[in-house]
Amino acid sequence: MYQYLDDLESRSLYIIREAYKRVDPLAMLWSIGKDSTALLWMVRKAFYGRVPFPLVLLDTEMELDEVYAFRDKLVKDWDLPMKSELCPPEEDMDKTLPPATRAAMRKTEGLRNLLEKEKYRGIIAGIRRDEQAMRAKERVFSPRTLDGDWDYKDQPAEFWDQYKTEFPDGCHVRIHPLLHWTELDIWRYTKRENIPYVSLYLAKDGKRYRSLGEKNITFPVDSEAATIDDIIHELETTKTAERSGRAMDKETEDSFERLRASGYM
Amino acid sequence: MSDDILKYQQLRVVIVGHVDHGKSTLIGRLLHDTDSLPDGKLEELEAICKRRGTDALEWSFVLDAMQAERDQAVTIDTTQIWFSTALREYVIIDAPGHREFLKNMISGAAAADAAILVVDAVEGVQEQTRRHAYLLHLLGLRQVSVVINKLDTVGYDTERFQVVAKDIVTYLQSIGLSASHIVPISARHGDMIAARGDNMSWYQGKTLVDVLDSFEVAMPPLARGLRFPVQDVYRYDDKRIVVGRVETGILRKGDTVLFSPTNEKAVVTSIEVWPDDKDKVEAHAGESVGITLDQKIFVERGHIASHETNPPMLSNVFRAHLFWLSQKPLRVGNSYKIRYGTHEAMVTVQSIDKMIDTQDLAQSDEVGDVERNAVAEVTLRARELLPVDPYIDNFRTGRIVLYDGYDVVGGGTISMDGYADQRRSIKPKSDNLYEVELLTSYEARAQKNGHYGAVFWFTGLSGAGKSTLAMAVEKELFEKGYYSYVLDGDNVRHGLNVDLGFSPEDRAENIRRVGEVAALMADAGQVVVSAFISPYREDRDRARAAAPARFFEIFVKADLSTCEQRDPKGLYKKARAGKLPEFTGIDSPYESPENPELVVDTQHNDIDTCVQQIIRYIEQNIVLSEKEGHKIVALS
């Protein structure tokens, strides 16, 4: 079923193995959501059941309860090298930002602290181009400046599967093995491979989460999709944006742009 | 092929063209007309346009998500967007048309299956129209259609359409591309996008959406020779798994595979995936897999596995058709890192052979540096033998990306025209360790001597000055402290080759022996200068193969009449009198080198100039690099 997924998967495995070979030390952000969990599954495929680098949750302590429970179960079942990085409090964030954007900025600062401490040269993240227009411009290997900023106006050329993998000291690279996947692809793949997912994605009382973020800035959307097949069917017909339940994307025209340029996933 | 692939496979289409010819507008309109805009996007768009003081809808705002792009109304980076027609799903890649952002256009276009070239009906074919078309061709895209946009601004005039269409068709033909369709459209008003509209009843062809649906999804290149570049080697439990992606062909369990450049062979004992699948016995082009082997041969990242019958060529020199992206121009003598597949090597620009003006396609032999956004043909040389495929044989492995320091600075395709395969017959595989030891000692001797051993092979007509130059060069090398030696007719004809005459077979054998001796001496650390007419390319190529990556062909050039006039040994006179049959240049041919590493013109330059030219060239190629110098310190 869905053979085209083999092609998407193969490309992701190639990218994951490139990252492991060329960038050291390396870590992967695991937000416990459907995308990074599918990505985690592919990491295990790439390394024959192993996860050869730490998985990091940028923890705001504001994730939904089901998310924490799901993480604990998978860490145990799959014997995962899990690591949590507590994000600094909201009071410390830039006061000029609108409230939800400010809350989201906590993850950016958490990541900055993590990089400072662990000196990671590469961070694998499960973002996709179809999620959001800013992310559509991303590279597979996306360099960050010394300050952690994304210089989206001057990105390296990237073609023929040759990536920019070397950097001056102090810089790091974000690696995006899922960039070419869509939300629908991820669900079809999750179904085909029988990958576990947080039950909050399934509709209860006419509502479900399409995208999981912190409880203060993420909201369920109207849906009757109570099974994974329902979700796939819903996505094949819907015209509602995936991140429509994410408050920070909409506060101002450039909220997300400002978040990303300063290091947000 | 299952229905599933046809139904779900996404076709990736890049939209290119000159700045302001309406690419982003076209995409916004395409999304709207195929009912692919997310709910609320149209309202959002109307609100943004009103806030910015424009009444008309700016369809390009749909895509130009970045603040900076909206303000400048120019697409900076490539972006991607998903939509579907009744037939299938699409990924639309929007590539910037501005000259400044060519690297972003290439990043977008290189990932596409097909391309739409947008041309403004008023402005017609412009600089970036041509450049983009040329780059599509160089990137290997073969499915291209053209839309002539903004027909509304010329009153939907059929004649204007014909004029612009003719211009672009002529250009495309001249670079070997043909447009499958040419569609007149108005992106702003939606004519001939999804619906035909009422304004162009004179046009009988397909709408843009129908054109998109007529493109074909690229099928994996299964029919090409197997190429499996090694990406990494994992040691898990007691298994050694060689991982990589099959670039072309099919890899099967039980296949004997040959690794290049090492020439090592082994049998594939399993194809490894996770979760374990014992039924997995073959991997097709495009699949990322792992394999295990029956032999513990040395394999590492960059080696390329193939079948024995159809391996890549081995060469340390090749020609590349490049586009250049860096602010710093490409210059002769500069070194760059190249990557192709998983292979990586340092190369030096030996020569810039041709500059190509993408505007009028003039090919100029008058070459300067290759500036940013230019296209050129260059000859690149590596220190070691590289496994290479010409692009015409393998479009996956036959293309390279160039790096300067940390940055990607160019890319292009490989041509091997005029270069010989330097692979020697496959060696018996019992002596692997011995082989490694030998390689090490060449390096060690170089460290001790302070320079590499190499063969500098002079070829040219009798009287061109080979021996004279060889003696002078050797003297100077010796005085400078290099270990050097000259091989020429005088010191081999009397001993090593005393049994050989001047028949074609004997001449070939003469050169074969000299080539082998020179190779041994180079391996022993000597700088060998050989001075033989060596008129046949085949013989010289064989000598080159004897000393892979350490062989430098130097063409000592003077025309026949000059040589005959000089005639230092009176040989031409004898030959003309019929006393020396089969004399090269008189009644036996001289095959000039097609790609010599160096040409020394003795006809127009004096001896001293020529000697200095050669000495400079030799020193460049035998000195230890700074990095290698450090290695000595680290080793001792």
PDB file of all heavy atoms in Angstrom, chain A residues 154-169:
ATOM      1  N   ASP A 154      20.128  34.480   2.541  1.00  0.00           N
ATOM      2  CA  ASP A 154      21.345  34.046   1.870  1.00  0.00           C
ATOM      3  C   ASP A 154      21.638  32.598   2.241  1.00  0.00           C
ATOM      4  O   ASP A 154      22.560  32.294   2.978  1.00  0.00           O
ATOM      5  CB  ASP A 154      22.520  34.951   2.266  1.00  0.00           C
ATOM      6  CG  ASP A 154      23.762  34.638   1.447  1.00  0.00           C
ATOM      7  OD1 ASP A 154      23.620  34.022   0.365  1.00  0.00           O
ATOM      8  OD2 ASP A 154      24.863  34.994   1.882  1.00  0.00           O
ATOM      9  N   GLN A 155      20.821  31.704   1.723  1.00  0.00           N
ATOM     10  CA  GLN A 155      21.004  30.290   2.034  1.00  0.00           C
ATOM     11  C   GLN A 155      21.952  29.652   1.030  1.00  0.00           C
ATOM     12  O   GLN A 155      22.056  30.096  -0.104  1.00  0.00           O
ATOM     13  CB  GLN A 155      19.656  29.579   1.969  1.00  0.00           C
ATOM     14  CG  GLN A 155      18.645  30.116   2.959  1.00  0.00           C
ATOM     15  CD  GLN A 155      17.530  29.108   3.179  1.00  0.00           C
ATOM     16  OE1 GLN A 155      17.741  28.071   3.796  1.00  0.00           O
ATOM     17  NE2 GLN A 155      16.348  29.390   2.657  1.00  0.00           N
ATOM     18  N   PRO A 156      22.651  28.590   1.459  1.00  0.00           N
ATOM     19  CA  PRO A 156      23.571  27.936   0.517  1.00  0.00           C
ATOM     20  C   PRO A 156      22.816  27.259  -0.626  1.00  0.00           C
ATOM     21  O   PRO A 156      21.652  26.887  -0.468  1.00  0.00           O
ATOM     22  CB  PRO A 156      24.273  26.883   1.372  1.00  0.00           C
ATOM     23  CG  PRO A 156      23.423  26.688   2.566  1.00  0.00           C
ATOM     24  CD  PRO A 156      22.663  27.956   2.780  1.00  0.00           C
ATOM     25  N   ALA A 157      23.478  27.144  -1.756  1.00  0.00           N
ATOM     26  CA  ALA A 157      22.908  26.360  -2.849  1.00  0.00           C
ATOM     27  C   ALA A 157      22.849  24.908  -2.384  1.00  0.00           C
ATOM     28  O   ALA A 157      23.732  24.439  -1.662  1.00  0.00           O
ATOM     29  CB  ALA A 157      23.792  26.481  -4.088  1.00  0.00           C
ATOM     30  N   GLU A 158      21.809  24.200  -2.786  1.00  0.00           N
ATOM     31  CA  GLU A 158      21.679  22.795  -2.388  1.00  0.00           C
ATOM     32  C   GLU A 158      21.045  22.034  -3.540  1.00  0.00           C
ATOM     33  O   GLU A 158      19.896  22.288  -3.888  1.00  0.00           O
ATOM     34  CB  GLU A 158      20.816  22.689  -1.128  1.00  0.00           C
ATOM     35  CG  GLU A 158      20.759  21.307  -0.524  1.00  0.00           C
ATOM     36  CD  GLU A 158      20.000  21.300   0.809  1.00  0.00           C
ATOM     37  OE1 GLU A 158      18.767  21.301   0.791  1.00  0.00           O
ATOM     38  OE2 GLU A 158      20.660  21.311   1.868  1.00  0.00           O
ATOM     39  N   PHE A 159      21.804  21.134  -4.159  1.00  0.00           N
ATOM     40  CA  PHE A 159      21.248  20.383  -5.283  1.00  0.00           C
ATOM     41  C   PHE A 159      21.974  19.046  -5.413  1.00  0.00           C
ATOM     42  O   PHE A 159      23.059  18.852  -4.880  1.00  0.00           O
ATOM     43  CB  PHE A 159      21.335  21.185  -6.583  1.00  0.00           C
ATOM     44  CG  PHE A 159      22.692  21.775  -6.871  1.00  0.00           C
ATOM     45  CD1 PHE A 159      23.593  21.109  -7.688  1.00  0.00           C
ATOM     46  CD2 PHE A 159      23.071  22.982  -6.318  1.00  0.00           C
ATOM     47  CE1 PHE A 159      24.851  21.639  -7.954  1.00  0.00           C
ATOM     48  CE2 PHE A 159      24.328  23.517  -6.567  1.00  0.00           C
ATOM     49  CZ  PHE A 159      25.211  22.845  -7.391  1.00  0.00           C
ATOM     50  N   TRP A 160      21.320  18.123  -6.102  1.00  0.00           N
ATOM     51  CA  TRP A 160      21.875  16.794  -6.393  1.00  0.00           C
ATOM     52  C   TRP A 160      22.286  16.040  -5.125  1.00  0.00           C
ATOM     53  O   TRP A 160      23.274  15.295  -5.121  1.00  0.00           O
ATOM     54  CB  TRP A 160      23.049  16.900  -7.377  1.00  0.00           C
ATOM     55  CG  TRP A 160      22.665  17.465  -8.707  1.00  0.00           C
ATOM     56  CD1 TRP A 160      21.410  17.542  -9.247  1.00  0.00           C
ATOM     57  CD2 TRP A 160      23.532  18.043  -9.700  1.00  0.00           C
ATOM     58  NE1 TRP A 160      21.447  18.130 -10.485  1.00  0.00           N
ATOM     59  CE2 TRP A 160      22.742  18.445 -10.788  1.00  0.00           C
ATOM     60  CE3 TRP A 160      24.908  18.257  -9.758  1.00  0.00           C
ATOM     61  CZ2 TRP A 160      23.273  19.050 -11.927  1.00  0.00           C
ATOM     62  CZ3 TRP A 160      25.430  18.865 -10.886  1.00  0.00           C
ATOM     63  CH2 TRP A 160      24.616  19.251 -11.961  1.00  0.00           C
ATOM     64  N   ASP A 161      21.576  16.242  -4.055  1.00  0.00           N
ATOM     65  CA  ASP A 161      21.840  15.551  -2.786  1.00  0.00           C
ATOM     66  C   ASP A 161      23.227  15.822  -2.212  1.00  0.00           C
ATOM     67  O   ASP A 161      23.754  15.012  -1.454  1.00  0.00           O
ATOM     68  CB  ASP A 161      21.666  14.023  -2.933  1.00  0.00           C
ATOM     69  CG  ASP A 161      20.258  13.655  -3.339  1.00  0.00           C
ATOM     70  OD1 ASP A 161      19.331  14.398  -2.990  1.00  0.00           O
ATOM     71  OD2 ASP A 161      20.096  12.626  -4.027  1.00  0.00           O
ATOM     72  N   GLN A 162      23.821  16.936  -2.599  1.00  0.00           N
ATOM     73  CA  GLN A 162      25.091  17.321  -1.977  1.00  0.00           C
ATOM     74  C   GLN A 162      24.783  18.480  -1.040  1.00  0.00           C
ATOM     75  O   GLN A 162      24.207  19.473  -1.442  1.00  0.00           O
ATOM     76  CB  GLN A 162      26.128  17.735  -3.025  1.00  0.00           C
ATOM     77  CG  GLN A 162      26.469  16.620  -4.007  1.00  0.00           C
ATOM     78  CD  GLN A 162      27.113  15.412  -3.356  1.00  0.00           C
ATOM     79  OE1 GLN A 162      27.543  15.445  -2.197  1.00  0.00           O
ATOM     80  NE2 GLN A 162      27.160  14.301  -4.092  1.00  0.00           N
ATOM     81  N   TYR A 163      25.172  18.334   0.212  1.00  0.00           N
ATOM     82  CA  TYR A 163      24.776  19.295   1.224  1.00  0.00           C
ATOM     83  C   TYR A 163      25.965  20.060   1.766  1.00  0.00           C
ATOM     84  O   TYR A 163      27.102  19.636   1.632  1.00  0.00           O
ATOM     85  CB  TYR A 163      24.064  18.562   2.365  1.00  0.00           C
ATOM     86  CG  TYR A 163      22.938  17.692   1.876  1.00  0.00           C
ATOM     87  CD1 TYR A 163      23.007  16.297   1.950  1.00  0.00           C
ATOM     88  CD2 TYR A 163      21.806  18.270   1.300  1.00  0.00           C
ATOM     89  CE1 TYR A 163      21.968  15.507   1.491  1.00  0.00           C
ATOM     90  CE2 TYR A 163      20.770  17.488   0.830  1.00  0.00           C
ATOM     91  CZ  TYR A 163      20.855  16.097   0.927  1.00  0.00           C
ATOM     92  OH  TYR A 163      19.834  15.325   0.460  1.00  0.00           O
ATOM     93  N   LYS A 164      25.639  21.172   2.413  1.00  0.00           N
ATOM     94  CA  LYS A 164      26.697  21.901   3.095  1.00  0.00           C
ATOM     95  C   LYS A 164      26.861  21.272   4.466  1.00  0.00           C
ATOM     96  O   LYS A 164      25.969  21.355   5.306  1.00  0.00           O
ATOM     97  CB  LYS A 164      26.309  23.372   3.208  1.00  0.00           C
ATOM     98  CG  LYS A 164      27.324  24.184   3.960  1.00  0.00           C
ATOM     99  CD  LYS A 164      27.131  25.669   3.751  1.00  0.00           C
ATOM    100  CE  LYS A 164      28.013  26.408   4.746  1.00  0.00           C
ATOM    101  NZ  LYS A 164      28.279  27.775   4.321  1.00  0.00           N
ATOM    102  N   THR A 165      27.978  20.617   4.698  1.00  0.00           N
ATOM    103  CA  THR A 165      28.141  19.865   5.942  1.00  0.00           C
ATOM    104  C   THR A 165      29.334  20.330   6.761  1.00  0.00           C
ATOM    105  O   THR A 165      29.650  19.749   7.782  1.00  0.00           O
ATOM    106  CB  THR A 165      28.323  18.359   5.649  1.00  0.00           C
ATOM    107  OG1 THR A 165      29.384  18.201   4.715  1.00  0.00           O
ATOM    108  CG2 THR A 165      27.057  17.759   5.076  1.00  0.00           C
ATOM    109  N   GLU A 166      30.008  21.368   6.285  1.00  0.00           N
ATOM    110  CA  GLU A 166      31.151  21.857   7.047  1.00  0.00           C
ATOM    111  C   GLU A 166      30.963  23.335   7.362  1.00  0.00           C
ATOM    112  O   GLU A 166      30.502  24.096   6.512  1.00  0.00           O
ATOM    113  CB  GLU A 166      32.446  21.621   6.273  1.00  0.00           C
ATOM    114  CG  GLU A 166      32.838  20.155   6.288  1.00  0.00           C
ATOM    115  CD  GLU A 166      33.868  19.813   5.222  1.00  0.00           C
ATOM    116  OE1 GLU A 166      34.640  20.701   4.827  1.00  0.00           O
ATOM    117  OE2 GLU A 166      33.876  18.653   4.794  1.00  0.00           O
ATOM    118  N   PHE A 167      31.348  23.731   8.573  1.00  0.00           N
ATOM    119  CA  PHE A 167      31.071  25.078   9.059  1.00  0.00           C
ATOM    120  C   PHE A 167      32.211  25.576   9.922  1.00  0.00           C
ATOM    121  O   PHE A 167      32.948  24.781  10.485  1.00  0.00           O
ATOM    122  CB  PHE A 167      29.814  25.083   9.936  1.00  0.00           C
ATOM    123  CG  PHE A 167      28.674  24.364   9.302  1.00  0.00           C
ATOM    124  CD1 PHE A 167      28.468  23.024   9.538  1.00  0.00           C
ATOM    125  CD2 PHE A 167      27.846  25.034   8.430  1.00  0.00           C
ATOM    126  CE1 PHE A 167      27.433  22.359   8.920  1.00  0.00           C
ATOM    127  CE2 PHE A 167      26.806  24.379   7.816  1.00  0.00           C
ATOM    128  CZ  PHE A 167      26.598  23.031   8.061  1.00  0.00           C
ATOM    129  N   PRO A 168      32.283  26.895  10.055  1.00  0.00           N
ATOM    130  CA  PRO A 168      33.250  27.436  11.010  1.00  0.00           C
ATOM    131  C   PRO A 168      32.864  26.997  12.426  1.00  0.00           C
ATOM    132  O   PRO A 168      31.696  26.684  12.688  1.00  0.00           O
ATOM    133  CB  PRO A 168      33.078  28.951  10.873  1.00  0.00           C
ATOM    134  CG  PRO A 168      32.273  29.190   9.650  1.00  0.00           C
ATOM    135  CD  PRO A 168      31.525  27.942   9.354  1.00  0.00           C
ATOM    136  N   ASP A 169      33.838  26.995  13.311  1.00  0.00           N
ATOM    137  CA  ASP A 169      33.571  26.642  14.714  1.00  0.00           C
ATOM    138  C   ASP A 169      32.475  27.533  15.281  1.00  0.00           C
ATOM    139  O   ASP A 169      32.410  28.718  14.988  1.00  0.00           O
ATOM    140  CB  ASP A 169      34.843  26.824  15.556  1.00  0.00           C
ATOM    141  CG  ASP A 169      35.784  25.651  15.337  1.00  0.00           C
ATOM    142  OD1 ASP A 169      35.311  24.618  14.817  1.00  0.00           O
ATOM    143  OD2 ASP A 169      36.977  25.791  15.663  1.00  0.00           O
TER     144      ASP A 169
END
